């Protein structure tokens, strides 16, 4: 069977220099959950971006995800990225504080009957103010306003240490774990080398 042929064996496995390894946990929500609390930040709004500009999107994506080595969208060329952002089944929202986008919520409805929480995060300027819980409540509301039967997300060991527990406390249930090996985006030029200093770069 496929899984038997590709299953990692117990113990240590060497990873080539220039590569990163992440333990990925997939979580799902099969029905909407009621928010336990819903703090309303006084100076923060959530604004739908119907046609996000590529430069605007990349800037926000980097400011939110650079410390956690988000690089997948930055590696896309203009046409490929525009094809995603201009798809009516992909909804991009900005958390706006002080007139500037300081957080991102991206919901992907391209798979029938489900929604993926594709990207969710805040910049340092608004973390610790209850905005994360407020944003998750909005994400759940928007996702389940559509005729879906599954809302899902994945996070990994390179993300914020609080991310996995936050998703579980928000009502998501873990259902699968995977290992991802990929090129360090700081060595390919996708991210600046000073990104995510907590994760050392191993050069060849």
């Amino acid at each position: 069977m496929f899984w038997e042929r590709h299953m990692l064996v117990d113990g240590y496995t060497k990873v080539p220099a220039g590569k990163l390894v992440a333990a990925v946990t997939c979580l799902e929500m099969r029905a909407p959950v009621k928010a336990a609390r819903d703090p309303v930040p006084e100076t923060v709004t959530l604004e739908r971006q119907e046609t996000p500009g590529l430069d605007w999107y990349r800037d926000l994506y980097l400011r939110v995800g650079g410390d956690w080595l988000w690089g997948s969208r930055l590696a896309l060329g203009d046409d490929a990225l525009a094809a995603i952002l201009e798809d009516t089944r992909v909804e991009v929202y900005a958390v706006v504080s002080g007139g500037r986008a300081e957080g991102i919520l991206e919901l992907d409805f391209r798979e029938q009957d489900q929604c993926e929480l594709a990207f969710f995060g805040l910049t340092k300027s608004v973390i610790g103010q209850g905005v994360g819980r407020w944003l998750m409540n909005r994400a759940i509301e928007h996702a389940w306003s559509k005729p879906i039967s599954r809302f899902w997300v994945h996070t990994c060991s390179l993300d914020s240490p609080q991310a996995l527990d936050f998703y579980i406390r928000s009502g998501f249930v873990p259902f699968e774990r995977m290992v991802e090996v990929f090129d360090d985006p700081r060595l390919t030029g996708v991210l600046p080398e000073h990104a995510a200093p907590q994760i050392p770069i191993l050069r060849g």
Side-chain angles (χ1 to χ4, degrees), residues 55-203:
D55 291 341
W56 176 91
Y57 180 90
R58 287 171 173 142
D59 171 73
L60 179 58
Y61 184 96
L62 178 59
R63 289 190 290 114
V64 170
D67 282 345
W68 314 114
L69 294 182
W70 290 11
S72 60
R73 289 291 171 80
L74 299 178
L76 296 177
D78 288 354
D79 290 344
L81 181 57
I84 295 172
L85 300 181
E86 294 173 5
D87 193 313
T88 57
R89 297 167 297 175
V90 176
E91 299 183 0
V92 177
Y93 298 84
V95 176
V96 179
S97 176
R100 188 186 191 200
E102 298 291 356
I104 189 170
L105 167 63
E106 187 171 325
L107 301 174
D108 188 340
F109 293 92
R110 289 178 293 177
E111 291 293 327
Q112 185 176 1
D113 200 36
Q114 62 181 299
C115 175
E116 179 186 0
L117 181 57
F119 293 101
F120 178 98
L122 304 170
T123 67
K124 293 178 181 178
S125 67
V126 293
I127 289 177
Q129 303 174 31
V131 180
R133 172 55 54 204
W134 169 81
L135 181 60
M136 177 55 74
N137 290 346
R138 304 289 79 73
I140 293 170
E141 288 177 358
H142 284 299
W144 289 102
S145 70
K146 303 290 179 67
I148 63 170
S149 62
R150 179 175 181 254
F151 185 28
W152 75 282
V153 64
H154 71 267
T155 185
C156 77
S157 53
L158 299 178
D159 282 337
S160 166
Q162 290 78 40
L164 182 56
D165 180 62
F166 176 77
Y167 289 133
I168 292 173
R169 287 188 288 107
S170 298
F172 289 93
V173 177
F175 70 90
E176 187 174 57
R177 182 171 292 122
M178 300 178 287
V179 173
E180 181 183 14
V181 181
F182 58 100
D183 291 331
D184 190 326
R186 297 167 296 185
L187 294 178
T188 61
V190 171
L191 288 173
E193 289 198 10
H194 61 74
Q198 75 278 10
I199 303 170
I201 296 176
L202 298 181
R203 303 176 189 275

